[in-house]
Amino acid sequence: MALTSRISLHGPATSDPEDYLCSSLGVIFPDDVTNQHGDADHSLIYTTPHLRQPLHIALADLDQENDRKLFSHYLWNASLLLAEFVEAGALGLSLDVDLGRLPPTYFDVTGLECLELGAGTALPSLMAALLGAKNVVVTDYPSPAVLGTLHKNVTANAKPDLSPASTLAPLTVEGHAWGELDTPFAAQHRGLFDRVFVCDCLWMPWQHANLHKSIAWFLNDSPSARAWVVAGFHTGRDKMRGFFDDTALESAGLAVDRIWERDCDGVEREWLWDRGQEDVSERKRWLVVCSLRRSPLASNVEGQVS
């Protein structure tokens, strides 16, 4: 089943010719995949047979140019994919991951402390809270509009009666700018999380080092602690691949545990640093999936930043 099959627009009928064109692209160009979903006038409905009711996902109505540059006012395919992984992991559903080398239970969040960075709509966090996580903290850039949308999504969907087991983890929203570790939130939550979610946050190469710092700061010291990083190739492989540079990760005390590529139809292939010239429509179909762990040098790095 296609990755985008679980979502639909909810809201007033559009009268904008541009919107009609955008909604028809999949018919005109059947190989073209939409990788960003929704707008301020239309919320999204996320439907899965494993929740008792659909999730209603609001999108930020951003009027400040700096806020719009964050692109948090869309739901991106990376969030859809990680939400699907979290669901499969928690419920033991059949799902081939990492070219069949990992069981779906690899993404089980049951009983775990979870944090999402650059959450946007918080879809993976909502799924984690409804499917057995111990505690979930959702963060994004500390803009009132961005955080307001996160609060709206948590209020609308963080309900035990949506969960298949009628359970709900505590779920809170906090502002956090990557790399800013001198805040009360950062001080109170250092090293507390078993899982860190990062979805479509790699399109700004100048922020990679700050994102490394935040992941390393919040991830706990357990050998089983992981950061799950999922990102689409729509902005170009060259912009995002530097995030996975071994030396850069090691300098933050992190290392790659698993990394592979997956398309919107569930086809997988090995991760490659360079695939040469990639067609724009084709690369939009693909995402990188990476699991980060602490490197053996993590204690030395922490000592340097303490």
Side-chain angles (χ1 to χ4, degrees), residues 113 115 117 189-197 212-228 253-255 292-295 302:
E113 297 272 354
L115 168 75
L117 298 172
H189 293 81
R190 184 179 187 182
L192 290 187
F193 297 97
D194 305 293
R195 296 292 183 270
V196 176
F197 306 159
H212 290 156
K213 290 177 183 177
S214 287
I215 293 171
W217 183 270
F218 292 113
L219 197 64
N220 71 33
D221 292 331
S222 168
S224 62
R226 294 291 184 271
W228 293 332
L254 300 169
L292 298 177
R293 56 176 172 80
R294 287 204 172 276
S295 77
E302 286 189 353

PDB file of all heavy atoms in Angstrom, residues 113 115 117 189-197 212-228 253-255 292-295 302:
ATOM      1  N   GLU A 113      10.786   6.142  26.750  1.00  0.00           N
ATOM      2  CA  GLU A 113      10.738   7.607  26.766  1.00  0.00           C
ATOM      3  C   GLU A 113      11.098   8.109  25.365  1.00  0.00           C
ATOM      4  O   GLU A 113      12.165   7.793  24.844  1.00  0.00           O
ATOM      5  CB  GLU A 113      11.734   8.160  27.781  1.00  0.00           C
ATOM      6  CG  GLU A 113      11.458   7.768  29.223  1.00  0.00           C
ATOM      7  CD  GLU A 113      10.512   8.751  29.919  1.00  0.00           C
ATOM      8  OE1 GLU A 113      10.178   9.774  29.289  1.00  0.00           O
ATOM      9  OE2 GLU A 113      10.130   8.480  31.063  1.00  0.00           O
ATOM     10  N   LEU A 115      11.234  11.345  22.366  1.00  0.00           N
ATOM     11  CA  LEU A 115      11.333  12.777  22.083  1.00  0.00           C
ATOM     12  C   LEU A 115      11.315  12.968  20.578  1.00  0.00           C
ATOM     13  O   LEU A 115      11.984  12.232  19.848  1.00  0.00           O
ATOM     14  CB  LEU A 115      12.638  13.342  22.651  1.00  0.00           C
ATOM     15  CG  LEU A 115      13.035  14.762  22.214  1.00  0.00           C
ATOM     16  CD1 LEU A 115      12.167  15.800  22.919  1.00  0.00           C
ATOM     17  CD2 LEU A 115      14.517  15.022  22.504  1.00  0.00           C
ATOM     18  N   LEU A 117      12.177  15.834  17.618  1.00  0.00           N
ATOM     19  CA  LEU A 117      12.806  17.114  17.284  1.00  0.00           C
ATOM     20  C   LEU A 117      12.256  17.599  15.947  1.00  0.00           C
ATOM     21  O   LEU A 117      12.084  16.816  15.016  1.00  0.00           O
ATOM     22  CB  LEU A 117      14.320  16.959  17.196  1.00  0.00           C
ATOM     23  CG  LEU A 117      15.048  16.526  18.475  1.00  0.00           C
ATOM     24  CD1 LEU A 117      16.525  16.236  18.180  1.00  0.00           C
ATOM     25  CD2 LEU A 117      14.925  17.591  19.548  1.00  0.00           C
ATOM     26  N   HIS A 189      16.064  17.886  30.674  1.00  0.00           N
ATOM     27  CA  HIS A 189      15.783  16.673  29.905  1.00  0.00           C
ATOM     28  C   HIS A 189      17.033  16.029  29.312  1.00  0.00           C
ATOM     29  O   HIS A 189      16.929  15.137  28.477  1.00  0.00           O
ATOM     30  CB  HIS A 189      14.786  16.987  28.782  1.00  0.00           C
ATOM     31  CG  HIS A 189      13.419  17.346  29.271  1.00  0.00           C
ATOM     32  ND1 HIS A 189      13.101  18.609  29.728  1.00  0.00           N
ATOM     33  CD2 HIS A 189      12.294  16.604  29.390  1.00  0.00           C
ATOM     34  CE1 HIS A 189      11.838  18.634  30.097  1.00  0.00           C
ATOM     35  NE2 HIS A 189      11.321  17.433  29.901  1.00  0.00           N
ATOM     36  N   ARG A 190      18.187  16.430  29.764  1.00  0.00           N
ATOM     37  CA  ARG A 190      19.416  15.865  29.213  1.00  0.00           C
ATOM     38  C   ARG A 190      19.499  14.367  29.497  1.00  0.00           C
ATOM     39  O   ARG A 190      19.339  13.911  30.622  1.00  0.00           O
ATOM     40  CB  ARG A 190      20.634  16.568  29.796  1.00  0.00           C
ATOM     41  CG  ARG A 190      21.951  16.076  29.182  1.00  0.00           C
ATOM     42  CD  ARG A 190      23.148  16.801  29.743  1.00  0.00           C
ATOM     43  NE  ARG A 190      24.360  16.444  29.037  1.00  0.00           N
ATOM     44  CZ  ARG A 190      25.576  16.889  29.340  1.00  0.00           C
ATOM     45  NH1 ARG A 190      25.731  17.735  30.348  1.00  0.00           N
ATOM     46  NH2 ARG A 190      26.623  16.499  28.632  1.00  0.00           N
ATOM     47  N   GLY A 191      19.760  13.598  28.461  1.00  0.00           N
ATOM     48  CA  GLY A 191      19.991  12.170  28.614  1.00  0.00           C
ATOM     49  C   GLY A 191      18.805  11.366  29.101  1.00  0.00           C
ATOM     50  O   GLY A 191      18.978  10.284  29.652  1.00  0.00           O
ATOM     51  N   LEU A 192      17.575  11.844  28.845  1.00  0.00           N
ATOM     52  CA  LEU A 192      16.394  11.178  29.403  1.00  0.00           C
ATOM     53  C   LEU A 192      15.691  10.234  28.422  1.00  0.00           C
ATOM     54  O   LEU A 192      14.822   9.461  28.837  1.00  0.00           O
ATOM     55  CB  LEU A 192      15.378  12.224  29.875  1.00  0.00           C
ATOM     56  CG  LEU A 192      15.751  13.050  31.103  1.00  0.00           C
ATOM     57  CD1 LEU A 192      14.562  13.915  31.519  1.00  0.00           C
ATOM     58  CD2 LEU A 192      16.161  12.139  32.258  1.00  0.00           C
ATOM     59  N   PHE A 193      16.052  10.242  27.143  1.00  0.00           N
ATOM     60  CA  PHE A 193      15.185   9.598  26.163  1.00  0.00           C
ATOM     61  C   PHE A 193      15.803   8.334  25.556  1.00  0.00           C
ATOM     62  O   PHE A 193      16.966   8.310  25.172  1.00  0.00           O
ATOM     63  CB  PHE A 193      14.816  10.589  25.070  1.00  0.00           C
ATOM     64  CG  PHE A 193      14.025  11.753  25.602  1.00  0.00           C
ATOM     65  CD1 PHE A 193      14.651  12.956  25.919  1.00  0.00           C
ATOM     66  CD2 PHE A 193      12.662  11.628  25.847  1.00  0.00           C
ATOM     67  CE1 PHE A 193      13.934  14.015  26.433  1.00  0.00           C
ATOM     68  CE2 PHE A 193      11.934  12.686  26.368  1.00  0.00           C
ATOM     69  CZ  PHE A 193      12.566  13.879  26.670  1.00  0.00           C
ATOM     70  N   ASP A 194      14.943   7.302  25.466  1.00  0.00           N
ATOM     71  CA  ASP A 194      15.334   6.043  24.831  1.00  0.00           C
ATOM     72  C   ASP A 194      15.288   6.148  23.314  1.00  0.00           C
ATOM     73  O   ASP A 194      16.035   5.467  22.612  1.00  0.00           O
ATOM     74  CB  ASP A 194      14.387   4.917  25.258  1.00  0.00           C
ATOM     75  CG  ASP A 194      14.289   4.775  26.757  1.00  0.00           C
ATOM     76  OD1 ASP A 194      15.292   4.391  27.376  1.00  0.00           O
ATOM     77  OD2 ASP A 194      13.197   5.043  27.315  1.00  0.00           O
ATOM     78  N   ARG A 195      14.368   6.970  22.815  1.00  0.00           N
ATOM     79  CA  ARG A 195      14.202   7.149  21.369  1.00  0.00           C
ATOM     80  C   ARG A 195      14.044   8.631  21.059  1.00  0.00           C
ATOM     81  O   ARG A 195      13.305   9.347  21.732  1.00  0.00           O
ATOM     82  CB  ARG A 195      12.961   6.409  20.853  1.00  0.00           C
ATOM     83  CG  ARG A 195      13.028   4.890  21.001  1.00  0.00           C
ATOM     84  CD  ARG A 195      14.074   4.274  20.084  1.00  0.00           C
ATOM     85  NE  ARG A 195      14.082   2.828  20.193  1.00  0.00           N
ATOM     86  CZ  ARG A 195      14.838   2.143  21.059  1.00  0.00           C
ATOM     87  NH1 ARG A 195      15.650   2.798  21.888  1.00  0.00           N
ATOM     88  NH2 ARG A 195      14.791   0.827  21.084  1.00  0.00           N
ATOM     89  N   VAL A 196      14.733   9.066  20.011  1.00  0.00           N
ATOM     90  CA  VAL A 196      14.590  10.424  19.490  1.00  0.00           C
ATOM     91  C   VAL A 196      14.137  10.305  18.040  1.00  0.00           C
ATOM     92  O   VAL A 196      14.757   9.597  17.243  1.00  0.00           O
ATOM     93  CB  VAL A 196      15.911  11.206  19.581  1.00  0.00           C
ATOM     94  CG1 VAL A 196      15.765  12.582  18.936  1.00  0.00           C
ATOM     95  CG2 VAL A 196      16.357  11.346  21.034  1.00  0.00           C
ATOM     96  N   PHE A 197      13.032  10.985  17.704  1.00  0.00           N
ATOM     97  CA  PHE A 197      12.491  10.974  16.345  1.00  0.00           C
ATOM     98  C   PHE A 197      12.940  12.237  15.615  1.00  0.00           C
ATOM     99  O   PHE A 197      12.824  13.347  16.146  1.00  0.00           O
ATOM    100  CB  PHE A 197      10.953  10.966  16.342  1.00  0.00           C
ATOM    101  CG  PHE A 197      10.302   9.865  17.137  1.00  0.00           C
ATOM    102  CD1 PHE A 197       8.984  10.003  17.559  1.00  0.00           C
ATOM    103  CD2 PHE A 197      10.968   8.696  17.450  1.00  0.00           C
ATOM    104  CE1 PHE A 197       8.350   9.002  18.276  1.00  0.00           C
ATOM    105  CE2 PHE A 197      10.356   7.679  18.180  1.00  0.00           C
ATOM    106  CZ  PHE A 197       9.041   7.844  18.594  1.00  0.00           C
ATOM    107  N   HIS A 212      22.908  17.343  15.371  1.00  0.00           N
ATOM    108  CA  HIS A 212      23.734  16.326  16.036  1.00  0.00           C
ATOM    109  C   HIS A 212      23.833  16.599  17.538  1.00  0.00           C
ATOM    110  O   HIS A 212      23.694  15.685  18.368  1.00  0.00           O
ATOM    111  CB  HIS A 212      25.154  16.325  15.454  1.00  0.00           C
ATOM    112  CG  HIS A 212      25.244  15.814  14.054  1.00  0.00           C
ATOM    113  ND1 HIS A 212      26.279  16.162  13.214  1.00  0.00           N
ATOM    114  CD2 HIS A 212      24.444  14.978  13.338  1.00  0.00           C
ATOM    115  CE1 HIS A 212      26.117  15.566  12.047  1.00  0.00           C
ATOM    116  NE2 HIS A 212      25.012  14.841  12.100  1.00  0.00           N
ATOM    117  N   LYS A 213      24.082  17.853  17.872  1.00  0.00           N
ATOM    118  CA  LYS A 213      24.242  18.215  19.283  1.00  0.00           C
ATOM    119  C   LYS A 213      22.977  17.923  20.087  1.00  0.00           C
ATOM    120  O   LYS A 213      23.049  17.390  21.206  1.00  0.00           O
ATOM    121  CB  LYS A 213      24.601  19.701  19.404  1.00  0.00           C
ATOM    122  CG  LYS A 213      25.994  20.064  18.920  1.00  0.00           C
ATOM    123  CD  LYS A 213      26.214  21.569  19.006  1.00  0.00           C
ATOM    124  CE  LYS A 213      27.571  21.969  18.454  1.00  0.00           C
ATOM    125  NZ  LYS A 213      27.769  23.452  18.468  1.00  0.00           N
ATOM    126  N   SER A 214      21.830  18.268  19.525  1.00  0.00           N
ATOM    127  CA  SER A 214      20.582  18.050  20.255  1.00  0.00           C
ATOM    128  C   SER A 214      20.287  16.567  20.423  1.00  0.00           C
ATOM    129  O   SER A 214      19.860  16.118  21.494  1.00  0.00           O
ATOM    130  CB  SER A 214      19.415  18.744  19.533  1.00  0.00           C
ATOM    131  OG  SER A 214      19.498  20.151  19.694  1.00  0.00           O
ATOM    132  N   ILE A 215      20.499  15.788  19.369  1.00  0.00           N
ATOM    133  CA  ILE A 215      20.271  14.348  19.473  1.00  0.00           C
ATOM    134  C   ILE A 215      21.160  13.751  20.557  1.00  0.00           C
ATOM    135  O   ILE A 215      20.699  13.001  21.428  1.00  0.00           O
ATOM    136  CB  ILE A 215      20.540  13.657  18.127  1.00  0.00           C
ATOM    137  CG1 ILE A 215      19.501  14.088  17.089  1.00  0.00           C
ATOM    138  CG2 ILE A 215      20.529  12.137  18.279  1.00  0.00           C
ATOM    139  CD1 ILE A 215      19.812  13.638  15.673  1.00  0.00           C
ATOM    140  N   ALA A 216      22.442  14.081  20.515  1.00  0.00           N
ATOM    141  CA  ALA A 216      23.381  13.535  21.495  1.00  0.00           C
ATOM    142  C   ALA A 216      23.054  13.997  22.912  1.00  0.00           C
ATOM    143  O   ALA A 216      23.253  13.259  23.886  1.00  0.00           O
ATOM    144  CB  ALA A 216      24.810  13.940  21.125  1.00  0.00           C
ATOM    145  N   TRP A 217      22.560  15.191  23.046  1.00  0.00           N
ATOM    146  CA  TRP A 217      22.244  15.757  24.358  1.00  0.00           C
ATOM    147  C   TRP A 217      21.076  15.025  25.016  1.00  0.00           C
ATOM    148  O   TRP A 217      21.112  14.713  26.202  1.00  0.00           O
ATOM    149  CB  TRP A 217      21.913  17.233  24.208  1.00  0.00           C
ATOM    150  CG  TRP A 217      21.629  17.957  25.490  1.00  0.00           C
ATOM    151  CD1 TRP A 217      20.420  18.110  26.096  1.00  0.00           C
ATOM    152  CD2 TRP A 217      22.576  18.641  26.333  1.00  0.00           C
ATOM    153  NE1 TRP A 217      20.534  18.847  27.252  1.00  0.00           N
ATOM    154  CE2 TRP A 217      21.863  19.189  27.418  1.00  0.00           C
ATOM    155  CE3 TRP A 217      23.950  18.843  26.256  1.00  0.00           C
ATOM    156  CZ2 TRP A 217      22.481  19.911  28.423  1.00  0.00           C
ATOM    157  CZ3 TRP A 217      24.564  19.583  27.255  1.00  0.00           C
ATOM    158  CH2 TRP A 217      23.827  20.104  28.326  1.00  0.00           C
ATOM    159  N   PHE A 218      20.042  14.752  24.239  1.00  0.00           N
ATOM    160  CA  PHE A 218      18.811  14.199  24.819  1.00  0.00           C
ATOM    161  C   PHE A 218      18.791  12.669  24.869  1.00  0.00           C
ATOM    162  O   PHE A 218      18.051  12.095  25.665  1.00  0.00           O
ATOM    163  CB  PHE A 218      17.595  14.699  24.036  1.00  0.00           C
ATOM    164  CG  PHE A 218      17.347  16.170  24.189  1.00  0.00           C
ATOM    165  CD1 PHE A 218      17.489  17.042  23.120  1.00  0.00           C
ATOM    166  CD2 PHE A 218      16.977  16.701  25.420  1.00  0.00           C
ATOM    167  CE1 PHE A 218      17.252  18.401  23.257  1.00  0.00           C
ATOM    168  CE2 PHE A 218      16.734  18.065  25.573  1.00  0.00           C
ATOM    169  CZ  PHE A 218      16.874  18.915  24.493  1.00  0.00           C
ATOM    170  N   LEU A 219      19.574  12.016  24.033  1.00  0.00           N
ATOM    171  CA  LEU A 219      19.587  10.553  24.004  1.00  0.00           C
ATOM    172  C   LEU A 219      20.258  10.022  25.266  1.00  0.00           C
ATOM    173  O   LEU A 219      21.285  10.541  25.702  1.00  0.00           O
ATOM    174  CB  LEU A 219      20.344  10.074  22.768  1.00  0.00           C
ATOM    175  CG  LEU A 219      20.140   8.626  22.323  1.00  0.00           C
ATOM    176  CD1 LEU A 219      18.693   8.384  21.890  1.00  0.00           C
ATOM    177  CD2 LEU A 219      21.105   8.301  21.174  1.00  0.00           C
ATOM    178  N   ASN A 220      19.672   8.967  25.849  1.00  0.00           N
ATOM    179  CA  ASN A 220      20.272   8.445  27.081  1.00  0.00           C
ATOM    180  C   ASN A 220      21.491   7.573  26.789  1.00  0.00           C
ATOM    181  O   ASN A 220      21.837   7.325  25.627  1.00  0.00           O
ATOM    182  CB  ASN A 220      19.228   7.732  27.953  1.00  0.00           C
ATOM    183  CG  ASN A 220      18.763   6.407  27.385  1.00  0.00           C
ATOM    184  OD1 ASN A 220      19.505   5.681  26.732  1.00  0.00           O
ATOM    185  ND2 ASN A 220      17.508   6.072  27.653  1.00  0.00           N
ATOM    186  N   ASP A 221      22.143   7.096  27.839  1.00  0.00           N
ATOM    187  CA  ASP A 221      23.414   6.383  27.692  1.00  0.00           C
ATOM    188  C   ASP A 221      23.260   4.885  27.482  1.00  0.00           C
ATOM    189  O   ASP A 221      24.261   4.175  27.379  1.00  0.00           O
ATOM    190  CB  ASP A 221      24.287   6.615  28.934  1.00  0.00           C
ATOM    191  CG  ASP A 221      24.758   8.056  29.043  1.00  0.00           C
ATOM    192  OD1 ASP A 221      24.913   8.701  27.994  1.00  0.00           O
ATOM    193  OD2 ASP A 221      24.964   8.524  30.183  1.00  0.00           O
ATOM    194  N   SER A 222      22.048   4.398  27.428  1.00  0.00           N
ATOM    195  CA  SER A 222      21.837   2.965  27.270  1.00  0.00           C
ATOM    196  C   SER A 222      22.362   2.472  25.924  1.00  0.00           C
ATOM    197  O   SER A 222      22.212   3.167  24.910  1.00  0.00           O
ATOM    198  CB  SER A 222      20.342   2.649  27.377  1.00  0.00           C
ATOM    199  OG  SER A 222      20.084   1.320  26.963  1.00  0.00           O
ATOM    200  N   PRO A 223      22.964   1.288  25.886  1.00  0.00           N
ATOM    201  CA  PRO A 223      23.412   0.738  24.591  1.00  0.00           C
ATOM    202  C   PRO A 223      22.265   0.538  23.598  1.00  0.00           C
ATOM    203  O   PRO A 223      22.493   0.466  22.391  1.00  0.00           O
ATOM    204  CB  PRO A 223      24.030  -0.609  24.981  1.00  0.00           C
ATOM    205  CG  PRO A 223      24.392  -0.467  26.428  1.00  0.00           C
ATOM    206  CD  PRO A 223      23.350   0.435  27.024  1.00  0.00           C
ATOM    207  N   SER A 224      21.046   0.455  24.103  1.00  0.00           N
ATOM    208  CA  SER A 224      19.897   0.245  23.220  1.00  0.00           C
ATOM    209  C   SER A 224      19.233   1.549  22.778  1.00  0.00           C
ATOM    210  O   SER A 224      18.298   1.521  21.964  1.00  0.00           O
ATOM    211  CB  SER A 224      18.848  -0.634  23.915  1.00  0.00           C
ATOM    212  OG  SER A 224      18.357  -0.001  25.085  1.00  0.00           O
ATOM    213  N   ALA A 225      19.674   2.685  23.278  1.00  0.00           N
ATOM    214  CA  ALA A 225      19.074   3.974  22.910  1.00  0.00           C
ATOM    215  C   ALA A 225      19.336   4.266  21.428  1.00  0.00           C
ATOM    216  O   ALA A 225      20.438   4.027  20.926  1.00  0.00           O
ATOM    217  CB  ALA A 225      19.637   5.083  23.776  1.00  0.00           C
ATOM    218  N   ARG A 226      18.321   4.783  20.754  1.00  0.00           N
ATOM    219  CA  ARG A 226      18.441   5.053  19.320  1.00  0.00           C
ATOM    220  C   ARG A 226      17.758   6.366  18.951  1.00  0.00           C
ATOM    221  O   ARG A 226      16.742   6.741  19.537  1.00  0.00           O
ATOM    222  CB  ARG A 226      17.793   3.927  18.496  1.00  0.00           C
ATOM    223  CG  ARG A 226      18.484   2.574  18.605  1.00  0.00           C
ATOM    224  CD  ARG A 226      19.849   2.564  17.945  1.00  0.00           C
ATOM    225  NE  ARG A 226      20.478   1.257  17.966  1.00  0.00           N
ATOM    226  CZ  ARG A 226      21.256   0.816  18.957  1.00  0.00           C
ATOM    227  NH1 ARG A 226      21.491   1.586  20.015  1.00  0.00           N
ATOM    228  NH2 ARG A 226      21.803  -0.386  18.887  1.00  0.00           N
ATOM    229  N   ALA A 227      18.306   7.020  17.945  1.00  0.00           N
ATOM    230  CA  ALA A 227      17.639   8.138  17.279  1.00  0.00           C
ATOM    231  C   ALA A 227      17.247   7.656  15.899  1.00  0.00           C
ATOM    232  O   ALA A 227      18.094   7.172  15.142  1.00  0.00           O
ATOM    233  CB  ALA A 227      18.558   9.346  17.185  1.00  0.00           C
ATOM    234  N   TRP A 228      15.959   7.774  15.563  1.00  0.00           N
ATOM    235  CA  TRP A 228      15.459   7.355  14.257  1.00  0.00           C
ATOM    236  C   TRP A 228      15.315   8.578  13.371  1.00  0.00           C
ATOM    237  O   TRP A 228      14.530   9.489  13.667  1.00  0.00           O
ATOM    238  CB  TRP A 228      14.124   6.644  14.410  1.00  0.00           C
ATOM    239  CG  TRP A 228      14.222   5.327  15.137  1.00  0.00           C
ATOM    240  CD1 TRP A 228      15.302   4.496  15.187  1.00  0.00           C
ATOM    241  CD2 TRP A 228      13.203   4.701  15.931  1.00  0.00           C
ATOM    242  NE1 TRP A 228      15.016   3.382  15.945  1.00  0.00           N
ATOM    243  CE2 TRP A 228      13.740   3.473  16.415  1.00  0.00           C
ATOM    244  CE3 TRP A 228      11.902   5.039  16.263  1.00  0.00           C
ATOM    245  CZ2 TRP A 228      13.004   2.599  17.223  1.00  0.00           C
ATOM    246  CZ3 TRP A 228      11.174   4.173  17.063  1.00  0.00           C
ATOM    247  CH2 TRP A 228      11.719   2.967  17.529  1.00  0.00           C
ATOM    248  N   GLY A 253      29.524  12.345  19.289  1.00  0.00           N
ATOM    249  CA  GLY A 253      29.346  11.149  20.106  1.00  0.00           C
ATOM    250  C   GLY A 253      28.301  10.201  19.573  1.00  0.00           C
ATOM    251  O   GLY A 253      27.721   9.416  20.325  1.00  0.00           O
ATOM    252  N   LEU A 254      28.060  10.254  18.255  1.00  0.00           N
ATOM    253  CA  LEU A 254      27.040   9.419  17.633  1.00  0.00           C
ATOM    254  C   LEU A 254      27.652   8.548  16.537  1.00  0.00           C
ATOM    255  O   LEU A 254      28.757   8.817  16.059  1.00  0.00           O
ATOM    256  CB  LEU A 254      25.934  10.293  17.023  1.00  0.00           C
ATOM    257  CG  LEU A 254      25.174  11.208  17.976  1.00  0.00           C
ATOM    258  CD1 LEU A 254      24.313  12.190  17.185  1.00  0.00           C
ATOM    259  CD2 LEU A 254      24.320  10.401  18.943  1.00  0.00           C
ATOM    260  N   ALA A 255      26.920   7.508  16.154  1.00  0.00           N
ATOM    261  CA  ALA A 255      27.360   6.633  15.074  1.00  0.00           C
ATOM    262  C   ALA A 255      26.134   6.016  14.413  1.00  0.00           C
ATOM    263  O   ALA A 255      25.079   5.865  15.035  1.00  0.00           O
ATOM    264  CB  ALA A 255      28.283   5.534  15.595  1.00  0.00           C
ATOM    265  N   LEU A 292      20.505   5.937  14.602  1.00  0.00           N
ATOM    266  CA  LEU A 292      21.758   6.358  15.219  1.00  0.00           C
ATOM    267  C   LEU A 292      21.851   5.814  16.635  1.00  0.00           C
ATOM    268  O   LEU A 292      20.850   5.693  17.338  1.00  0.00           O
ATOM    269  CB  LEU A 292      21.852   7.888  15.267  1.00  0.00           C
ATOM    270  CG  LEU A 292      21.845   8.642  13.945  1.00  0.00           C
ATOM    271  CD1 LEU A 292      21.883  10.144  14.210  1.00  0.00           C
ATOM    272  CD2 LEU A 292      23.031   8.234  13.074  1.00  0.00           C
ATOM    273  N   ARG A 293      23.041   5.514  17.065  1.00  0.00           N
ATOM    274  CA  ARG A 293      23.321   5.102  18.443  1.00  0.00           C
ATOM    275  C   ARG A 293      24.471   5.943  18.971  1.00  0.00           C
ATOM    276  O   ARG A 293      25.102   6.697  18.223  1.00  0.00           O
ATOM    277  CB  ARG A 293      23.707   3.622  18.487  1.00  0.00           C
ATOM    278  CG  ARG A 293      24.889   3.276  17.597  1.00  0.00           C
ATOM    279  CD  ARG A 293      25.325   1.841  17.723  1.00  0.00           C
ATOM    280  NE  ARG A 293      26.325   1.493  16.737  1.00  0.00           N
ATOM    281  CZ  ARG A 293      27.635   1.773  16.814  1.00  0.00           C
ATOM    282  NH1 ARG A 293      28.088   2.447  17.878  1.00  0.00           N
ATOM    283  NH2 ARG A 293      28.477   1.422  15.859  1.00  0.00           N
ATOM    284  N   ARG A 294      24.720   5.800  20.243  1.00  0.00           N
ATOM    285  CA  ARG A 294      25.903   6.457  20.799  1.00  0.00           C
ATOM    286  C   ARG A 294      27.154   5.724  20.329  1.00  0.00           C
ATOM    287  O   ARG A 294      27.173   4.501  20.260  1.00  0.00           O
ATOM    288  CB  ARG A 294      25.851   6.460  22.325  1.00  0.00           C
ATOM    289  CG  ARG A 294      24.836   7.450  22.873  1.00  0.00           C
ATOM    290  CD  ARG A 294      25.194   7.863  24.302  1.00  0.00           C
ATOM    291  NE  ARG A 294      24.337   8.940  24.758  1.00  0.00           N
ATOM    292  CZ  ARG A 294      24.550  10.216  24.499  1.00  0.00           C
ATOM    293  NH1 ARG A 294      25.591  10.570  23.785  1.00  0.00           N
ATOM    294  NH2 ARG A 294      23.729  11.146  24.969  1.00  0.00           N
ATOM    295  N   SER A 295      28.190   6.469  20.015  1.00  0.00           N
ATOM    296  CA  SER A 295      29.447   5.856  19.612  1.00  0.00           C
ATOM    297  C   SER A 295      30.260   5.515  20.844  1.00  0.00           C
ATOM    298  O   SER A 295      30.008   6.036  21.940  1.00  0.00           O
ATOM    299  CB  SER A 295      30.234   6.818  18.713  1.00  0.00           C
ATOM    300  OG  SER A 295      30.843   7.831  19.504  1.00  0.00           O
ATOM    301  N   GLU A 302      31.005  13.922  25.629  1.00  0.00           N
ATOM    302  CA  GLU A 302      30.198  14.547  26.677  1.00  0.00           C
ATOM    303  C   GLU A 302      31.078  15.281  27.674  1.00  0.00           C
ATOM    304  O   GLU A 302      30.739  16.349  28.168  1.00  0.00           O
ATOM    305  CB  GLU A 302      29.358  13.476  27.389  1.00  0.00           C
ATOM    306  CG  GLU A 302      28.191  12.999  26.557  1.00  0.00           C
ATOM    307  CD  GLU A 302      27.263  12.120  27.363  1.00  0.00           C
ATOM    308  OE1 GLU A 302      27.603  11.779  28.510  1.00  0.00           O
ATOM    309  OE2 GLU A 302      26.198  11.755  26.832  1.00  0.00           O
TER     310      GLU A 302
END
